[in-house]
Amino acid sequence: MALILVAGLLGGCATSGNPKDSIEGFNRAMFAFNEGLDKAIVKPVATGYDNVLSSPVKTGVTNFFGNIADLFIGINNLLQGKVAAGFGDFGRLAVNSTIGILGVIDVASDIGLEKHEEDFGQTFGRWGVGSGSYVVVPFFGSRTVRDTAGLVLDVAVDPVSNHGHVPTRNTALALRIVSDRANLLPADKVIDEAALDKYSYVRDAYLQRRRSLIYDGNAPREAEPEADLADQQPLVAEAGSAQESVPAQAETVAVEPVVVAQQHLLQTE
Amino acid sequence: MKSLFVFIGGLVLATLVSAQEVAPDALIKSVSTDVLEIVRKDKDIRNGDSKKAAALVEVKVLPHFNFTHMTQLAMGREWRNASTAQKSVLIDEFRTLLVRTYSKALTEYKNQTIDYKPFVMRPGEAEVKVRTEIKQPSGGKPIQLDYYLEKTSSGWKVFDIEVGGISLVTNYRESFASEIRQGGIDGLIKSLQAKNKSGETAAVKK
């Protein structure tokens, strides 16, 4: 609620004219803040972590936190009506927590239980909730209004944040941040190479990524703006046929941390 | 010497591939396999030699891309407002930017493998999507990598690439539009040229 109020207040001073980013002035300031924090603290620590530890150890850490995350990934799949996927996630949790030694080894992927990527923001999107404007949240990065609401729930139920033993909890939270960031280090360079304006590059990648995730990787191509296509084959047919499978919220793209978007960008090519 | 041999070998292969009508999925597979094979063996590229990676991309990958169509997609409805001269500069600069990005990504290669998804083409189709997946050597969630191709008189050409659902081409649309709002199409051209220049100096510093 407060967020919407802030959005309204700041709307007046925004200049971009981009309907998906109505509070661009505020967002750019937050983006600069997050980047500054990253440059000063998070990235140097993650770089050190990346250089010091061996790959198997780093993979073990990633898997350990990934295993914990599978619990709510499964719950979100069930909330979205994807029952088989949800039970697949619980199967992963059971297999990896036991045979995989507390999740350190991802045995489940080897036996064909695929890792998924779900959160409450995606669930809301699946339910037809519109994405709302793009928002850069301090510390967390790119979101939309809907995904910010999802984030609040994600954090509220996060098993790591809710661990009762405070020193263990804090150590685990810090380790998870560092590990996640270290995984994204290669992406940084590619984004720096690609982006004309890093802010909008990251924003648009986030919005595309969330849209794709809501469709579980099968998003229809967005309609092409009418351009002079005389010398090209028309794209219209494809956009039209895709339309059928598009749920009502085609316009209301949503889903994932910038981090993930960056990761994908980076490892892509 | 060895790398020169590989380089020439790649050149011959690339010509062979484009010379005949190759199915889109077979094309993606053969180009990807060749490029990764070279990167795997080339220590310079894996240690961050972007120039060498760019040369590889230039020879092996570019012949299969339709940069006119890519630039058009990135420009969206602004495309028709550009003059012929502006269009050709835009295509050139955008091409440089994409090659640079692609080459940089190649230098980050760490033993990932590619999974090719089943591909079915209906007869007479002029536009197709070839799906692949990048598998991480350390496990973890695979990354979706999809290619969009169109049929042209000189064979199938790629006009868009999506990584994890993010189109590397249309991702520029908003930033291009905002450059154009601020400085017109010439303003966008200037920004692209400045960006590409800054990349060059950065490469030289290395």
Side-chain angles (χ1 to χ4, degrees), chain A residues 10 13-16 21-31 199:
Chain A
L10 289 159
C13 56
T15 50
S16 78
D21 191 2
S22 50
I23 51 165
E24 186 171 339
F26 170 82
N27 285 341
R28 280 193 186 268
M30 279 308 124
F31 183 77
Y199 168 81

Side-chain angles (χ1 to χ4, degrees), chain A residues 192-194 209 218 238 268, chain B residues 100 127 131 163-164 172 195:
Chain A
D192 286 341
E193 198 73 37
R209 173 74 184 147
N218 294 307
E238 191 186 353
T268 303
Chain B
R100 188 159 287 163
E127 239 183 66
R131 299 167 146 276
V163 180
Y172 285 100
K195 171 77 193 169

Side-chain angles (χ1 to χ4, degrees), chain B:
Chain B
M1 194 58 214
K2 208 188 245 167
S3 65
L4 182 71
F5 179 73
V6 172
F7 187 79
I8 294 170
L11 193 72
V12 172
L13 241 163
T15 325
L16 281 178
V17 167
S18 56
Q20 59 201 93
E21 172 74 31
V22 182
D25 57 329
L27 176 71
I28 295 297
K29 194 170 182 172
S30 76
V31 174
S32 311
T33 311
D34 293 350
V35 169
L36 286 193
E37 192 58 34
I38 295 170
V39 174
R40 228 170 256 140
K41 290 176 184 158
D42 195 316
K43 281 219 171 84
D44 295 340
I45 291 179
R46 300 186 63 174
N47 288 332
D49 187 341
S50 314
K51 276 235 163 99
K52 211 169 174 188
L56 173 67
V57 171
E58 192 84 27
V59 173
K60 301 284 291 176
V61 181
L62 294 203
H64 309 293
F65 280 18
N66 180 353
F67 283 103
T68 307
H69 195 170
M70 286 178 157
T71 313
Q72 193 177 14
L73 282 180
M75 290 283 289
R77 53 173 61 85
E78 295 290 345
W79 181 248
R80 67 170 134 194
N81 299 327
S83 70
T84 316
Q86 285 174 325
K87 280 180 186 169
S88 96
V89 181
L90 283 167
I91 294 167
D92 238 39
E93 295 295 336
F94 192 44
R95 178 177 182 276
T96 306
L97 182 61
L98 289 179
V99 169
R100 188 159 287 163
T101 307
Y102 202 103
S103 313
K104 184 56 120 186
L106 276 185
T107 65
E108 298 294 329
Y109 175 77
K110 298 219 169 63
N111 293 320
Q112 290 91 345
T113 52
I114 304 181
D115 239 19
Y116 300 89
K117 305 263 132 191
F119 176 78
V120 193
M121 190 165 61
R122 288 183 296 251
E125 251 182 332
E127 239 183 66
V128 296
K129 176 178 177 180
V130 175
R131 299 167 146 276
T132 72
E133 239 177 36
I134 310 291
K135 296 227 157 156
Q136 305 292 349
S138 54
K141 198 174 179 286
I143 295 163
Q144 215 182 316
L145 178 55
D146 299 333
Y147 299 85
Y148 289 86
L149 297 97
E150 63 187 334
K151 196 174 188 159
T152 72
S153 49
S154 49
W156 288 89
K157 302 285 177 197
V158 174
F159 67 90
D160 198 2
I161 299 176
E162 275 182 17
V163 180
I166 303 165
S167 156
L168 296 183
V169 173
T170 61
N171 207 55
Y172 285 100
R173 199 175 278 164
E174 292 295 341
S175 43
F176 278 18
S178 100
E179 293 281 345
I180 291 171
R181 269 196 301 273
Q182 285 163 34
I185 289 172
D186 285 332
L188 170 63
I189 290 174
K190 257 185 213 145
S191 299
L192 280 169
Q193 283 168 336
K195 171 77 193 169
N196 287 335
K197 269 227 175 79
S198 75
E200 267 165 35
T201 38
V204 171
K205 265 185 215 151
K206 252 187 184 174

Side-chain angles (χ1 to χ4, degrees), chain A residues 5-93:
Chain A
L5 190 69
V6 173
L9 286 173
L10 289 159
C13 56
T15 50
S16 78
N18 183 340
K20 288 179 189 156
D21 191 2
S22 50
I23 51 165
E24 186 171 339
F26 170 82
N27 285 341
R28 280 193 186 268
M30 279 308 124
F31 183 77
F33 170 77
N34 286 345
E35 288 270 288
L37 189 72
D38 181 59
K39 206 175 249 175
I41 302 170
V42 186
K43 190 175 177 180
V45 174
T47 308
Y49 169 92
D50 192 45
N51 290 338
V52 168
L53 295 182
S54 69
S55 298
V57 173
K58 288 182 280 189
T59 303
V61 172
T62 302
N63 287 344
F64 175 78
F65 289 113
N67 183 52
I68 294 172
D70 277 341
L71 173 61
F72 274 92
I73 290 172
I75 289 171
N76 275 297
N77 264 326
L78 291 186
L79 289 172
Q80 295 173 33
K82 292 181 282 185
V83 177
F87 282 102
D89 296 324
F90 298 146
R92 287 180 52 84
L93 187 65

Side-chain angles (χ1 to χ4, degrees), chain A residues 58-246:
Chain A
K58 288 182 280 189
T59 303
V61 172
T62 302
N63 287 344
F64 175 78
F65 289 113
N67 183 52
I68 294 172
D70 277 341
L71 173 61
F72 274 92
I73 290 172
I75 289 171
N76 275 297
N77 264 326
L78 291 186
L79 289 172
Q80 295 173 33
K82 292 181 282 185
V83 177
F87 282 102
D89 296 324
F90 298 146
R92 287 180 52 84
L93 187 65
V95 170
N96 285 342
S97 300
T98 51
I99 305 171
I101 316 171
L102 299 177
V104 171
I105 305 165
D106 184 3
V107 186
S109 286
D110 295 337
I111 60 170
L113 283 169
E114 201 188 320
K115 171 100 180 149
H116 300 121
E117 199 170 330
E118 301 293 344
D119 52 55
F120 282 103
Q122 286 184 60
T123 299
F124 294 155
R126 217 34 191 227
W127 289 352
V129 178
S131 64
S133 189
Y134 177 70
V135 188
V136 181
V137 182
F139 304 104
F140 289 94
S142 294
R143 291 293 186 282
T144 57
V145 173
R146 176 189 58 214
D147 292 344
T148 306
L151 173 70
V152 171
L153 268 180
D154 292 335
V155 173
V157 300
D158 172 32
V160 179
S161 310
N162 286 300
H163 195 285
H165 189 251
V166 174
T168 309
R169 181 196 70 190
N170 292 348
T171 309
L173 283 173
L175 179 60
R176 186 169 66 181
I177 291 169
V178 171
S179 164
D180 284 351
R181 184 64 185 89
N183 285 335
L184 295 172
L185 288 171
D188 281 351
K189 295 178 201 158
V190 178
I191 291 179
D192 286 341
E193 198 73 37
L196 220 48
D197 166 24
K198 193 172 179 183
Y199 168 81
S200 57
Y201 196 85
V202 169
R203 174 194 65 203
D204 297 333
Y206 174 80
L207 294 174
Q208 283 201 63
R209 173 74 184 147
R210 291 303 281 181
R211 178 172 189 269
S212 167
L213 279 175
I214 287 188
Y215 286 100
D216 291 324
N218 294 307
R221 242 176 121 66
E222 281 184 281
E224 304 297 337
E226 358 67 77
D228 179 11
L229 290 165
D231 55 334
Q232 303 288 179
Q233 269 117 13
L235 294 157
V236 182
E238 191 186 353
S241 60
Q243 217 65 38
E244 297 153 26
S245 58
V246 181

